[in-house]
């Protein structure tokens, strides 16, 4: 039991915008008692708590700079020592580069930990572009819809609240989605290679339903947290 207490599992979800990382992370939190840690949330919490690393981050952010990897890693190290992460964590938004992945490996090794699994949600680029570009929401309640995959039962009327006004994010268009995918692949390819070389990479098809993706994740995460 003490091993579990001092060495929470560390999981990384990789996938482009729209692949469903956020949805699946929330489900994994509920299913396994994991804690999702996003870089933004970590920084805000550390600043609010007034930790040394948080104060360093605050100074950088107030000057309009980018918070260094060293500060992010220091904040992550503090967070991993807190008692609510004993079951494990899902890292969201970090690492983003091979250099950050290596620094994370070193940090974890110093605490007797490691990345247990890095899971890549694999998608078809053109299908993803259609998925992102077709999204829109009810302006009143935020219920999500899609031009082809999920239209309201009554055209022009929200199924959930009966609203008749809808909105579409300015960046939910084919050109922006294509650019974001290209940037993701360029940025993430070294990470894929890094975790494959360490024998902890798993890939799953993320073009199915939310339930299908969750079912594919379940045995992988079960092994990682044992």
């Amino acid at each position: 039991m003490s091993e579990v207490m001092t060495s929470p599992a560390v999981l990384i979800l990789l996938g482009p915008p729209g692949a469903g990382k956020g949805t699946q992370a929330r489900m994994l939190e509920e299913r396994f008692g994991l804690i999702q840690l996003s870089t933004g949330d970590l920084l805000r919490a550390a600043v609010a708590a007034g930790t040394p690393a948080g104060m360093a981050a605050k100074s950088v952010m107030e000057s309009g700079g980018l918070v260094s990897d060293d500060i992010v890693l220091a904040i992550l190290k503090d967070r991993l020592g807190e008692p609510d992460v004993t079951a494990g964590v899902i890292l969201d938004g970090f690492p983003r580069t091979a250099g950050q992945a290596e620094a994370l490996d070193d940090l974890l090794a110093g605490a007797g930990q490691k990345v247990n699994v890095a899971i890549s949600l694999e998608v078809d680029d053109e299908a993803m572009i259609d998925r992102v570009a077709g999204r829109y929401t009810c302006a009143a309640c935020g219920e999500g819809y899609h031009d082809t995959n999920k239209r309201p039962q009554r055209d022009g009327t929200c199924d959930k609240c009966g609203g008749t006004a809808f909105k579409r994010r300015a960046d939910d268009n084919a050109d922006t989605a294509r650019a974001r995918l290209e940037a993701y692949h360029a940025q993430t390819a070294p990470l894929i290679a890094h975790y494959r070389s360490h024998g902890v990479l798993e890939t799953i098809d993320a073009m199915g339903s939310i339930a299908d993706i969750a079912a594919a994740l379940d045995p992988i995460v079960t092994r990682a947290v044992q």
Side-chain angles (χ1 to χ4, degrees):
M1 181 63 69
S2 59
E3 175 69 16
V4 175
M5 293 293 288
T6 56
S7 299
V10 178
L11 291 74
I12 296 172
L13 279 184
L14 302 172
K21 295 190 302 299
T23 297
Q24 294 300 328
R26 287 189 294 274
M27 294 171 68
L28 290 173
E29 284 185 307
E30 296 176 3
R31 168 75 173 82
F32 293 95
L34 303 172
I35 301 293
Q36 181 183 11
L37 302 179
S38 74
T39 305
D41 289 344
L42 283 171
L43 289 172
R44 285 187 289 272
V47 170
T51 66
M55 290 300 93
K58 181 180 180 182
S59 176
V60 173
M61 291 188 290
E62 287 180 344
S63 67
L66 292 175
V67 178
S68 69
D69 291 349
D70 286 344
I71 294 176
V72 173
L73 286 163
I75 291 173
L76 179 59
K77 181 180 180 180
D78 290 343
R79 185 67 179 87
L80 289 173
E82 295 181 13
D84 65 331
V85 301
T86 54
V89 299
I90 306 166
L91 296 187
D92 178 7
F94 191 90
R96 291 185 181 275
T97 67
Q100 290 176 348
E102 291 170 2
L104 175 62
D105 289 342
D106 291 342
L107 168 69
L108 294 172
Q113 296 172 251
K114 63 179 181 178
V115 172
N116 297 76
V117 67
I119 307 169
S120 178
L121 305 185
E122 300 287 303
V123 302
D124 176 86
D125 280 6
E126 290 306 313
M128 282 300 301
I129 290 167
D130 176 70
R131 180 187 290 182
V132 171
R135 296 188 301 199
Y136 62 98
T137 60
C138 171
C141 72
E143 180 72 4
Y145 295 97
H146 191 276
D147 290 332
T148 55
N149 299 334
K150 184 189 174 185
R151 298 184 61 84
Q153 295 178 12
R154 289 179 53 205
D155 199 31
T157 303
C158 175
D159 298 338
K160 187 173 181 180
C161 74
T164 57
F166 297 86
K167 61 182 180 180
R168 194 182 301 266
R169 283 175 42 175
D171 59 348
D172 277 351
N173 60 74
D175 290 341
T176 301
R178 186 170 284 106
R180 289 162 71 188
L181 277 168
E182 289 174 357
Y184 168 78
H185 289 310
Q187 184 181 65
T188 309
L191 281 180
I192 297 292
H194 176 86
Y195 289 118
R196 180 178 287 117
S197 71
H198 283 64
V200 295
L201 180 71
E202 297 278 357
T203 61
I204 66 170
D205 180 1
M207 292 308 300
S209 67
I210 290 173
D212 288 341
I213 298 170
L217 282 169
D218 192 274
I220 296 172
V221 176
T222 297
R223 290 193 297 272
V225 301
Q226 285 177 343

